[in-house]
Amino acid sequence: MKKIIFALAFMLMGTFAFANISLTNYEFSTIDLCENEYYVYFEGELVAEWTEPAPLDDDMNCTGDARIFFLE
Amino acid sequence: MKHLFYIIFAVFVLNSSAQETTVVTKVDYSTYLNLGLPSEIDSELIFFKSQSIYSKGKSDISYPESATIEKIGNNKKASNIYYSDYTNKKGYTKKNIDGKTYLASEDMQKITWVIQPKKQKTIMGFVCEQAVGNFRGRKYTVWFTSEIPVPFGPWKLHGLPGLILEAKDNFNQVHFKAIKIEYTHLKDPEKKVEIPIAKYKDISLKDFLVLEEKSLKDKIARIMASKPRGSKINNFKYHKPKGLELKYEWEETKKQ
């Protein structure tokens, strides 16, 4: 019984973690996790943006992320 | 009665002669800017005789939660300050580029305001009238009070028969709003609003903007160069920063 509860809890955590990844990348990326997206802001204004291919993890999943630089 | 008190104070400030301490008016503004990322900025305006100093203070940027954030540079000391000198009709912006402080000078631009006396509202107990005017590519709707009869306002907005207490632009990107007015006693008010011409490198605003953009491009290039070897950069786009001023007079002249 304990094992089943642990397995269910583990699955649930996995679901949340996945949901979090999707949310994490929603606002700034095209949800194309195969690209890293870069944004540079200067005084609150977007001044440059570019993308680059994202590396794959051990399971061959894309690990794309959005990264924002603030020039102060 | 309260307003009569303020008028006496304002007149006193403008006409006061050298005394041990002089009462100077300080106006705190809350500034909302949204040029991409929304931010709230505290700022203050101090005026004395024909000069004013407007300084930007703490800035609260709404950083997106959905990305990795990296701040580059430490510009804490570089808070922007704008001086206006009505006697010589000159404006000066004190700003840093790469750790070096510049004083960018410009001729004060005359803003042609259209006053709408029928449109009134009260801000912090002051009766304000509405005026509309264009300044460097934005159309501002402002509220000014004749109860404080000085031509000053937040940032570079000026030239009305009363202090500007609120200003909004037509793109809903800029909003200044006075939140506090106080009267402080200063021993040497001239020093507070004194323009530090001798202290910093004097440069025209036009040349300053060129330098600032060059520095910005260099910083972007450095970020890109810091990527691991073999990184393939795609879809690069550079957006020239516009800030609050979308169009300058010399750009208009060039087109003619």
Side-chain angles (χ1 to χ4, degrees):
Chain A
M1 187 63 184
K2 256 185 183 177
K3 278 182 184 172
I4 294 169
I5 291 168
F6 270 120
L8 281 171
F10 195 72
M11 279 167 66
L12 211 59
M13 277 167 64
T15 311
F16 279 126
F18 180 74
N20 198 25
I21 287 168
S22 304
L23 282 172
T24 302
N25 289 283
Y26 180 74
E27 191 179 345
F28 268 90
S29 77
T30 51
I31 323 180
D32 180 0
L33 293 179
C34 293
E35 278 192 332
N36 282 328
E37 302 193 5
Y38 294 87
Y39 301 88
V40 183
Y41 279 85
F42 174 64
E43 296 184 343
E45 209 173 341
L46 181 67
V47 289
E49 56 185 306
W50 67 90
T51 61
E52 65 176 28
L56 300 173
D57 65 11
D58 295 341
D59 298 324
M60 300 302 280
N61 294 317
C62 292
T63 59
D65 193 10
R67 199 158 178 199
I68 305 179
F69 296 91
F70 289 94
L71 302 178
E72 295 188 320
Chain B
M1 187 61 194
K2 182 188 162 198
H3 295 153
L4 184 67
F5 173 75
Y6 284 127
I7 292 167
I8 292 166
F9 254 128
V11 171
F12 177 66
V13 166
L14 282 173
N15 298 310
S16 55
S17 56
Q19 289 172 14
E20 278 200 2
T21 60
T22 308
V23 178
V24 172
T25 312
K26 181 165 97 72
V27 189
D28 290 343
Y29 289 91
S30 172
T31 307
Y32 168 82
L33 284 183
N34 189 358
L35 306 174
L37 289 180
S39 61
E40 296 256 0
I41 302 156
D42 295 333
S43 53
E44 66 169 39
L45 173 76
I46 293 175
F47 49 85
F48 181 70
K49 291 186 178 171
S50 65
Q51 287 183 200
S52 72
I53 172 170
Y54 174 77
S55 37
K56 268 165 66 176
K58 209 184 91 205
S59 170
D60 188 10
I61 296 175
S62 306
Y63 292 112
E65 292 171 3
S66 55
T68 309
I69 307 290
E70 202 169 315
K71 293 178 192 174
I72 295 173
N74 180 7
N75 237 358
K76 277 182 188 163
K77 286 182 183 172
S79 62
N80 300 349
I81 295 178
Y82 177 73
Y83 300 88
S84 63
D85 174 1
Y86 258 82
T87 310
N88 298 310
K89 298 276 176 222
K90 296 282 275 184
Y92 299 87
T93 305
K94 189 179 128 190
K95 210 172 173 187
N96 268 25
I97 299 177
D98 302 329
K100 198 170 175 184
T101 308
Y102 291 84
L103 199 61
S105 63
E106 60 185 298
D107 293 331
M108 277 177 86
Q109 295 302 302
K110 184 176 168 17
I111 305 172
T112 306
W113 296 105
V114 177
I115 298 173
Q116 329 253 340
K118 283 185 183 168
K119 290 191 175 172
Q120 294 193 340
K121 75 170 176 179
T122 304
I123 299 172
M124 291 188 302
F126 295 97
V127 176
C128 296
E129 286 173 65
Q130 196 191 76
V132 177
N134 291 298
F135 179 66
R136 289 185 174 157
R138 291 181 195 270
K139 186 178 181 179
Y140 288 94
T141 300
V142 306
W143 296 91
F144 70 97
T145 179
S146 306
E147 293 173 39
I148 304 176
V150 294
F152 305 110
W155 182 57
K156 298 183 182 181
L157 302 177
H158 68 276
L160 278 159
L163 179 67
I164 297 171
L165 293 181
E166 187 173 353
K168 263 183 185 180
D169 81 323
N170 56 324
F171 300 117
N172 289 321
Q173 292 177 333
V174 187
H175 186 190
F176 301 98
K177 189 165 188 185
I179 51 170
K180 192 177 168 191
I181 295 184
E182 61 183 12
Y183 302 96
T184 49
H185 288 262
L186 290 179
K187 268 192 177 175
D188 202 352
E190 272 95 352
K191 275 207 168 163
K192 183 74 190 169
V193 294
E194 191 180 32
I195 301 158
I197 291 174
K199 202 172 170 190
Y200 302 108
K201 192 171 165 49
D202 190 8
I203 186 171
S204 72
L205 179 65
K206 190 178 175 182
D207 291 343
F208 176 84
L209 292 170
V210 173
L211 270 186
E212 189 177 56
E213 193 181 7
K214 187 187 171 300
S215 160
L216 178 63
K217 284 181 175 173
D218 288 347
K219 283 175 189 156
I220 295 168
R222 280 203 292 273
I223 294 171
M224 294 173 83
S226 69
K227 305 268 108 227
R229 191 178 286 181
S231 296
K232 193 183 164 200
I233 288 168
N234 299 321
N235 308 315
F236 176 78
K237 283 181 204 152
Y238 171 72
H239 311 280
K240 187 180 169 131
K242 289 178 175 170
L244 270 65
E245 289 146 296
L246 304 175
K247 205 162 52 180
Y248 292 92
E249 354 14 295
W250 55 83
E251 290 170 340
E252 283 167 6
T253 314
K254 209 163 75 177
K255 279 176 195 168
Q256 284 167 1

